[in-house]
Amino acid sequence: MSTPSVEPVPLPAKRRLAQLAMLAFAVVITLGAYANVGLAIDGKIPSGMLTYGLSLGGFMLAAYLVLAKFAPWADPLILPLVTLINGLGLVMIYRLEEVDAFGASANQQLLYTAIGVVLFAVTLVVLRDHRALQRLTYTAGAVGLVLLVSPLLPLIGEDINGARIWIKVPGGQLQPAEFAKLALLVFFAGYLVAKRDVLALAGRRLLFIDLPRARDLGPILITWGLSLGVLILQKDLGSSLLIFGTFIAMLYIATQRTSWVLIGVLLFVGGAVLAGLIFDHVQARWEVYLNPADPELFVKTGGSEQLMQGLFAMSEGGVLGTGFGQGHPERIPLAISDFIFPAIGEELGLTGLMALLMVYALLVERGLRTSIAARDPFTKLLAGGLSFLLAWQVFIIVGGVTNLIPLTGLVTPFMSQGGSALLANWILIALLVRMSDAARRPAPQAIQDEGMTQVFQR
Amino acid sequence: MNSPLKRVALACMLMFGLLMLNVNYLQGVRAEELRSDSRNVRNFYDRYEVQRGRITAGSKVLAESVETDDNTFKYSRRYPEGKVYAPVTGFFAPESERDIERAKNDLLDGSSADLLIRRSLDLFSGTQTKGANVDLTINPKAQEAAYKALSASGKKGALVAIDPKTGAILAMVSVPTYDPNPLSKADKAGVNAAYAKLAEDEDQPLLNRAIERTYPPGSTFKVVTMAAYLENDDTLGPQSPIDAPPRLDLPNTTADLPNHGNSACGNGRVTLSYALEKSCNTPFGKIGMDLGYDAMKEQAAKFGIGGEQLEIPMPVSASSIGEQEDQAALAQASIGQRNNQMTPLQMAMVAAGVANDGVVMKPYLVNKVADAEGGEVETADPEELSTAMSEETAAKLREMMVNVVNLGTASAAQIPGVTVAGKTGTAETSGNRAPHAWFVSFAPAGPDEEPKVAVALIVESGSAGDDASGGQTAAPIARSVMEAVLGR
């Protein structure tokens, strides 16, 4: 038996100062953009600039302090990246509010950001060990289900813009699906960790694909049914695609079996075709996707006008963009929520969009890195799932508004105006930060060379 | 679980890669196509996004863009002088523009390559590029006098005044005309309705009669015929005799060419000057037939008639003495009838050619273009178009045209203390409408004086049938314009 080395294992750097600097950088960029809007529209720095800057800077400093205290080893990039995206979203909403775009309210979004940061802090403080979530696997599943179906319940459910995805809460509405996502992901992670061996190993080999046993198909069929239910009953294509896709990805991470992906894709395609045959609105989306410039579809209610307005906005932006406050993103219906990406594209151009996509990609990459560095399967699955969820959501909505894939409504994470999604996403980030703290925290070091008996510092 | 995680990471990067490719495709490759889509209202907004340059005539502002409180349409175009300058300025409609607004559009909106340096400087200093200002050669006093006098006639008509020495257009009026203001609002439907109404108007207010329409020039064309005659034989002078029978037999036809109202012209053999003063038809018909079509056409071409299309910068309709037919047709063309068709601008060039010792200058409207900071972008450079006749011929013609005003049909053009040269015209029209009254003139026209202004004008159906009555209608209008230019 070898003697443990007296040399301590090199510790990963905490990089707290770098994180603070990057955070300040993100806030400064946001404030610069904010000043830019004011200068372009009114020719002067907006009067609320100081309040605004102090609030945003203050929130982020608070988030940083909590993080430094309760998750000191966390990845230093995650918080600054999220701050930048959230800040740019705030500026865009402020800019749209300046020209009286329908529904835009920067103050409300700032308030939600504050609540989001509070939830981030609370999550970090309360959830000292995320593995506690593993014990709540089935509870989380039940909570997710209840949240998901809650808009369908009478009394509390509400129908807005033809989608029944809202519930009434004191002081407004909430989109429970946003929170349901998190709960379901916790459930998927916990469930798959428990069952992955049987899902991965049992089965028959047909040609070059390992087929699972029929009885193991249960979970995937249930999730599929659930997604279709959401799709059919709530007309929420986006969330349905989001949940199902993430589930397939997690199933693949857990079992490493391509057959699950194939089965999942086939099930989804089948479901989508079926839905297209049955429901007009699904078919309409498909037609719009194939030929958005069609003059007939353009003038039709629920036709391609919104998508085209987004594309027009992006074309106007070109490579360098019109500059904040100098375009007409208010021409795009719903520029504050689903279509905030083309609105950014008009004013910041291709350059801005590439940078923004890069920021999202970096964020996802940091999450996946956490997942790879994690030491236990539950953390790996949860971090991987949450990261994929983010990437998948960006892909669905950005791909939708840029006509890469059929458009399904989803918010752009951290940018779109809307409290539920912002709050849920800040909790998601808190979970990632928590797990990254755990993953990067150095393994216990031997205090001294004690031969066979070692005393660890914890 | 790390290997599937890595594959998932790869899938995520692939998704972002696809999004980035697609964004590049949209904003790089397809941008142009999407930008020009008619349903993209941004083009419409963009028109009002930059402060378009002013159009001025000296210190007078003819068109300017003023900032609005509206964030959608930042600037609005207004024309403080309204109708008076409409045929010159044109208008700036949501989807089109006209006249100077059109011809100088890229300078006015600042997009011209000539403004590249300005734009680069603005980009550097962070100021918004403004359009360049266009200064016209128009003399506001002359323009207003012309508009007032022509409108007062209550008839349709057009007038062009030129500086004979440079070709600078001092006045260009067409009546009835339109107010460019309602056509320049940022309101597609409203503008289209207003435009449609003007376009359907029987009086054609949108037509710039000075350059977009041709009329038979009538007796004013005799100046060209006389120039050809004098050029053909330099021994001839104002006092040279010529046959002037009451009727000229037109070969191979049963018809004759009479003088106006079948009147006699003197005693049948008169001086050249007298023939012009009284505007007898027969001697000029004879001259045309004797010289032949080619000589007449050549002389006309020396005045710029039928040459390459003029752009002042608006394109000018082509004038022509008509295709070669028989001698009878030539006789009629030589007195400005038949297929002889001239724009008022062309006739002003004829008068200006005589005034400028035989040299016809290229007419132009834009004096100077300067960027918003006053930096010069382009300045007019007067150009010779052609030499219509020798200096001697020009002097003889000038003498005769002075006689027309002092002794002949154009006494109404006389200005006390100023020698005025002129020629009246009466153009027969088809149908039962009264003939058009023409007048071409220039002043001061004394033997050693340098003419400052040449004018041509037409009053549609402004004549009772003879040059004298036409002269009574048209000559005073020209006089008021010349007085305005000469500061009388």
Side-chain angles (χ1 to χ4, degrees):
Chain A
M1 185 142 300
S2 66
T3 318
S5 154
V6 272
E7 285 291 311
V9 179
L11 297 177
K14 288 185 184 173
R15 308 293 311 269
R16 288 280 74 92
L17 205 63
Q19 176 167 21
L20 192 60
M22 286 189 288
L23 202 54
F25 184 56
V27 172
V28 166
I29 288 186
T30 305
L31 291 187
Y34 191 73
N36 205 334
V37 170
L39 287 171
I41 295 181
D42 304 320
K44 56 179 194 289
I45 305 246
S47 53
M49 174 105 177
L50 194 67
T51 332
Y52 210 80
L54 287 180
S55 335
L56 189 68
F59 301 157
M60 294 314 157
L61 187 67
Y64 167 79
L65 290 175
V66 171
L67 185 146
K69 174 82 173 76
F70 292 94
W73 295 98
D75 191 301
L77 256 177
I78 294 178
L79 187 61
L81 290 172
V82 170
T83 303
L84 183 59
I85 304 175
N86 197 337
L88 284 178
L90 272 169
V91 171
M92 195 66 213
I93 290 163
Y94 168 76
R95 181 254 177 281
L96 286 165
E97 189 184 8
E98 280 293 281
V99 292
D100 302 320
F102 177 76
S105 169
N107 282 341
Q108 195 190 48
Q109 184 74 352
L110 190 64
L111 179 70
Y112 282 134
T113 305
I115 302 175
V117 170
V118 169
L119 285 180
F120 171 84
V122 166
T123 309
L124 280 186
V125 173
V126 172
L127 191 69
R128 301 300 269 276
D129 186 352
H130 61 278
R131 279 168 299 186
L133 291 174
Q134 198 175 358
R135 292 195 293 272
L136 298 173
T137 299
Y138 289 94
T139 317
V143 168
L145 264 180
V146 168
L147 284 173
L148 208 54
V149 299
S150 59
L152 298 174
L153 301 176
L155 292 176
I156 57 165
E158 229 182 325
D159 195 324
I160 299 177
N161 293 335
R164 197 173 172 93
I165 53 175
W166 305 83
I167 56 166
K168 286 181 222 158
V169 291
Q173 309 92 13
L174 268 181
Q175 265 180 293
E178 296 291 343
F179 299 95
K181 282 187 316 201
L182 296 179
L184 287 175
L185 247 67
V186 170
F187 165 70
F188 291 160
Y191 175 82
L192 289 171
V193 166
K195 304 281 179 187
R196 67 191 182 111
D197 289 341
V198 69
L199 288 173
L201 301 175
R204 250 173 309 139
R205 194 168 173 85
L206 185 72
L207 293 174
F208 50 91
I209 295 170
D210 292 311
L211 285 181
R213 293 183 306 192
R215 61 178 166 188
D216 294 331
L217 278 170
I220 191 169
L221 285 177
I222 289 170
T223 322
W224 179 66
L226 194 72
S227 303
L228 275 185
V230 171
L231 176 91
I232 293 163
L233 297 171
Q234 304 181 353
K235 296 188 181 174
D236 187 357
L237 294 167
S239 294
S240 153
L241 185 57
L242 185 68
I243 293 170
F244 192 68
T246 310
F247 175 72
I248 298 295
M250 289 174 76
L251 195 55
Y252 173 68
I253 297 172
T255 62
Q256 214 178 138
R257 279 177 57 169
T258 326
S259 58
W260 285 119
V261 179
L262 286 176
I263 291 168
V265 170
L266 286 179
L267 278 175
F268 186 81
V269 169
V273 168
L274 204 66
L277 291 177
I278 300 171
F279 300 105
D280 286 346
H281 69 279
V282 179
Q283 200 180 350
R285 293 286 174 93
W286 180 252
E287 280 170 10
V288 163
Y289 165 67
L290 289 181
N291 199 359
D294 187 277
E296 247 173 70
L297 285 176
F298 189 83
V299 293
K300 207 163 120 187
T301 314
S304 65
E305 190 193 341
Q306 185 177 27
L307 180 62
M308 286 306 284
Q309 290 293 359
L311 297 185
F312 291 155
M314 288 178 67
S315 73
E316 184 69 11
V319 174
L320 290 176
T322 59
F324 258 132
Q326 295 178 48
H328 290 284
E330 73 277 5
R331 289 298 312 171
I332 318 167
L334 279 186
I336 51 162
S337 56
D338 292 17
F339 277 72
I340 201 163
F341 188 81
I344 294 273
E346 173 167 7
E347 303 218 307
L348 297 186
L350 176 59
T351 320
L353 288 187
M354 289 297 279
L356 183 61
L357 286 173
M358 199 56 94
V359 171
Y360 273 121
L362 271 176
L363 186 60
V364 169
E365 189 264 348
R366 298 317 283 192
L368 288 167
R369 182 165 282 256
T370 297
S371 169
I372 286 175
R375 295 174 187 127
D376 63 295
F378 177 73
T379 311
K380 274 183 186 301
L381 258 181
L382 187 56
L386 290 175
S387 307
F388 183 82
L389 179 83
L390 259 184
W392 186 228
Q393 182 162 359
V394 171
F395 183 75
I396 292 172
I397 185 60
V398 171
V401 296
T402 55
N403 204 35
L404 182 65
I405 56 171
L407 178 63
T408 57
L410 269 185
V411 300
T412 316
F414 297 106
M415 292 202 99
S416 297
Q417 180 173 331
S420 315
L422 193 60
L423 303 190
N425 281 327
W426 271 105
I427 297 176
L428 185 156
I429 287 303
L431 291 177
L432 272 185
V433 163
R434 169 53 69 221
M435 288 186 279
S436 126
D437 174 62
R440 287 162 52 95
R441 191 185 291 274
Q445 300 277 320
I447 294 170
Q448 63 199 81
D449 181 7
E450 290 178 343
M452 298 291 286
T453 316
Q454 292 184 6
V455 179
F456 288 102
Q457 182 179 31
R458 282 204 66 106
Chain B
M1 277 193 249
N2 279 356
S3 89
L5 263 175
K6 279 174 189 162
R7 282 200 202 112
V8 166
L10 205 65
C12 287
M13 292 309 113
L14 198 70
M15 289 192 297
F16 280 107
L18 276 175
L19 290 179
M20 287 178 180
L21 272 178
N22 191 44
V23 169
N24 271 282
Y25 169 65
L26 279 177
Q27 296 195 281
V29 182
R30 273 190 71 195
E32 205 57 49
E33 167 211 328
L34 286 166
R35 234 176 276 160
S36 54
D37 193 300
S38 63
R39 293 166 293 191
N40 186 352
V41 287
R42 281 173 183 77
N43 296 327
F44 175 40
Y45 292 150
D46 284 351
R47 285 174 81 79
Y48 305 93
E49 201 70 21
V50 288
Q51 183 161 19
R52 201 171 163 84
R54 283 192 306 271
I55 301 176
T56 56
S59 58
K60 186 148 242 158
V61 175
L62 308 184
E64 62 182 346
S65 283
V66 285
E67 199 159 357
T68 62
D69 302 330
D70 188 353
N71 186 58
T72 317
F73 305 109
K74 265 196 186 149
Y75 293 96
S76 73
R77 195 77 169 153
R78 49 184 289 258
Y79 303 83
E81 307 297 326
K83 285 183 163 187
V84 181
Y85 294 86
V88 178
T89 56
F91 54 81
F92 180 67
E95 286 167 305
S96 64
E97 56 286 307
R98 251 189 79 142
D99 297 332
I100 288 293
E101 292 276 27
R102 180 189 190 88
K104 293 286 163 189
N105 188 38
D106 59 342
L107 287 162
L108 285 166
D109 71 11
S111 65
S112 164
D114 297 341
L115 296 170
L116 194 65
I117 297 174
R118 182 77 253 156
R119 281 205 303 275
S120 320
L121 284 176
D122 287 339
L123 189 68
F124 196 66
S125 64
T127 49
Q128 211 198 352
T129 301
K130 294 176 183 170
N133 297 320
V134 174
D135 184 46
L136 303 181
T137 55
I138 296 287
N139 175 330
K141 280 188 198 150
Q143 179 82 7
E144 276 149 37
Y147 180 76
K148 212 172 129 197
L150 259 184
S151 316
S153 74
K155 301 222 156 63
K156 290 179 263 183
L159 179 146
V160 179
I162 305 186
D163 180 343
K165 202 164 174 58
T166 59
I169 295 172
L170 302 175
M172 183 163 78
V173 170
S174 173
V175 290
T177 184
Y178 62 93
D179 183 355
N181 286 303
L183 294 181
S184 306
K185 290 207 163 71
D187 162 18
K188 277 189 197 176
V191 166
N192 288 346
Y195 184 89
K197 199 165 162 243
L198 287 169
E200 283 163 16
D201 193 326
E202 277 187 1
D203 287 340
Q204 294 180 280
L206 290 170
L207 181 73
N208 182 355
R209 295 174 166 77
I211 57 170
E212 289 172 352
R213 224 210 112 154
T214 57
Y215 300 88
S219 304
T220 54
F221 192 76
K222 289 170 184 165
V223 175
V224 179
T225 309
M226 182 66 88
Y229 190 49
L230 295 174
E231 284 282 272
N232 185 51
D233 178 357
D234 58 15
T235 61
L236 294 172
Q239 300 310 318
S240 305
I242 189 165
D243 283 334
R247 305 182 77 80
L248 181 69
D249 180 48
L250 296 179
N252 303 324
T253 63
T254 53
D256 292 340
L257 179 70
N259 289 321
H260 274 305
N262 292 317
S263 60
C265 184
N267 57 9
R269 185 158 175 87
V270 298
T271 62
L272 290 180
S273 184
Y274 184 87
L276 199 68
E277 284 159 35
K278 298 301 175 207
S279 201
C280 305
N281 286 341
T282 49
F284 290 95
K286 181 87 173 24
I287 290 172
M289 288 196 290
D290 289 349
L291 292 175
Y293 178 83
D294 291 341
M296 284 302 293
K297 187 171 173 150
E298 192 187 326
Q299 181 59 55
K302 285 182 179 174
F303 278 104
I305 298 165
E308 66 177 279
Q309 190 184 33
L310 288 172
E311 283 175 358
I312 64 168
M314 297 89 97
V316 180
S317 294
S319 298
S320 158
I321 65 164
E323 293 296 305
Q324 180 161 19
E325 293 172 73
D326 54 13
Q327 284 291 86
L330 181 57
Q332 286 175 316
S334 302
I335 61 161
Q337 296 291 344
R338 193 87 184 189
N339 292 327
N340 196 334
Q341 290 280 330
M342 299 289 146
T343 58
L345 173 69
Q346 180 60 58
M347 290 318 292
M349 287 160 66
V350 168
V354 178
N356 192 34
D357 299 329
V359 177
V360 181
M361 302 299 292
K362 207 171 190 170
Y364 63 93
L365 252 178
V366 176
N367 177 40
K368 195 173 71 180
V369 180
D371 66 32
E373 307 298 315
E376 187 181 302
V377 180
E378 60 179 62
T379 305
D381 182 18
E383 259 181 86
E384 280 184 23
L385 183 68
S386 58
T387 304
M389 63 199 110
S390 66
E391 246 185 275
E392 293 75 32
T393 304
K396 292 171 198 167
L397 253 178
R398 183 193 284 207
E399 190 188 324
M400 288 188 254
M401 286 173 74
V402 169
N403 291 342
V404 172
V405 173
N406 289 345
L407 309 168
T409 51
S411 56
Q414 288 169 9
I415 303 172
V418 179
T419 315
V420 178
K423 179 71 196 87
T424 53
T426 306
E428 306 288 344
T429 54
S430 53
N432 292 324
R433 288 184 301 146
H436 303 323
W438 272 94
F439 189 60
V440 298
S441 65
F442 59 90
D448 294 318
E449 285 178 311
E450 188 157 278
K452 295 272 185 272
V453 54
V455 178
L457 76 110
I458 184 168
V459 180
E460 289 185 25
S461 302
S463 168
D466 60 334
D467 271 23
S469 70
Q472 287 304 319
T473 312
I477 300 173
R479 188 186 68 202
S480 65
V481 174
M482 290 187 286
E483 282 173 340
V485 174
L486 300 173
R488 291 263 160 183

